[in-house]
Amino acid sequence: TIKSYVDRMYDLARYYMRAPSELSRDELQAYLYHLAYERNLSASTCNVAINALRLYYQLIEGIPRDQLMLTLPRPRSGWLLPEVLSTQEVERLIANAPQPHHRTFLMLVYGTGMRLAEATNLRARHIDSDRMQIRVEAGKG
């Protein structure tokens, strides 16, 4: 977190070629606009910049939190729906796998709904052939 905050403050100073203590609220808002819309950074990166600015101006410059929050609106992260492949597209994807073990891996991930990290950590001992089950260790949820 500290490194991220320092990087954002360094980027701010480099953007204006002045110390952050010399910048106005309008310049801070312009910088945040620059991050979000000109550099097209993600909402989480913009939130890191907002947190870095807020911490700096509260602790170093002594500006009260309520004054700072009015000038730094937080962007919202958007939800992207996953692309759903048709049955034919899935069949084509699996059929065009270059090696049999690639095809097996794709069939396993698609058939079980496993996450990629879960499937790559899968070992032979996790497969119970008698019960037709796969044990996922350290899976999400």
Side-chain angles (χ1 to χ4, degrees):
T1 302
I2 293 170
K3 183 184 178 334
S4 297
Y5 284 11
V6 169
D7 288 346
R8 288 292 113 214
M9 294 306 294
Y10 176 77
D11 188 56
L12 172 69
R14 196 176 68 217
Y15 181 73
Y16 282 110
M17 300 303 284
R18 295 195 334 255
S21 60
E22 301 172 2
L23 300 175
S24 69
R25 287 188 191 131
D26 290 339
E27 288 172 316
L28 295 177
Q29 287 181 309
Y31 172 71
L32 293 172
Y33 179 85
H34 164 75
L35 293 180
Y37 298 106
E38 294 172 13
R39 286 180 53 188
N40 201 25
L41 297 180
S42 69
S44 61
T45 303
C46 292
N47 281 329
V48 167
I50 291 169
N51 290 333
L53 292 172
R54 185 171 34 141
L55 185 69
Y56 172 80
Y57 284 100
Q58 283 176 351
L59 294 181
I60 306 301
E61 300 298 326
I63 296 175
R65 180 182 180 138
D66 58 344
Q67 288 181 8
L68 210 51
M69 290 302 289
L70 295 174
T71 61
L72 302 176
R74 292 189 173 273
R76 300 278 183 219
S77 59
W79 287 90
L80 296 177
L81 293 175
E83 183 178 338
V84 179
L85 301 178
S86 70
T87 305
Q88 295 80 15
E89 290 172 320
V90 172
E91 288 173 355
R92 248 191 346 262
L93 178 69
I94 292 172
N96 289 324
Q99 300 290 325
H101 64 275
H102 295 145
R103 192 170 11 271
T104 302
F105 183 79
L106 289 172
M107 290 169 60
L108 173 77
V109 170
Y110 181 75
T112 61
M114 262 189 232
R115 289 180 167 81
L116 188 58
E118 295 169 347
T120 56
N121 291 325
L122 191 64
R123 301 293 177 254
R125 68 178 188 273
H126 298 142
I127 300 171
D128 185 353
S129 300
D130 296 334
R131 294 171 55 194
M132 299 292 289
Q133 290 182 344
I134 299 173
R135 187 179 69 235
V136 176
E137 291 182 355
K140 184 176 179 182

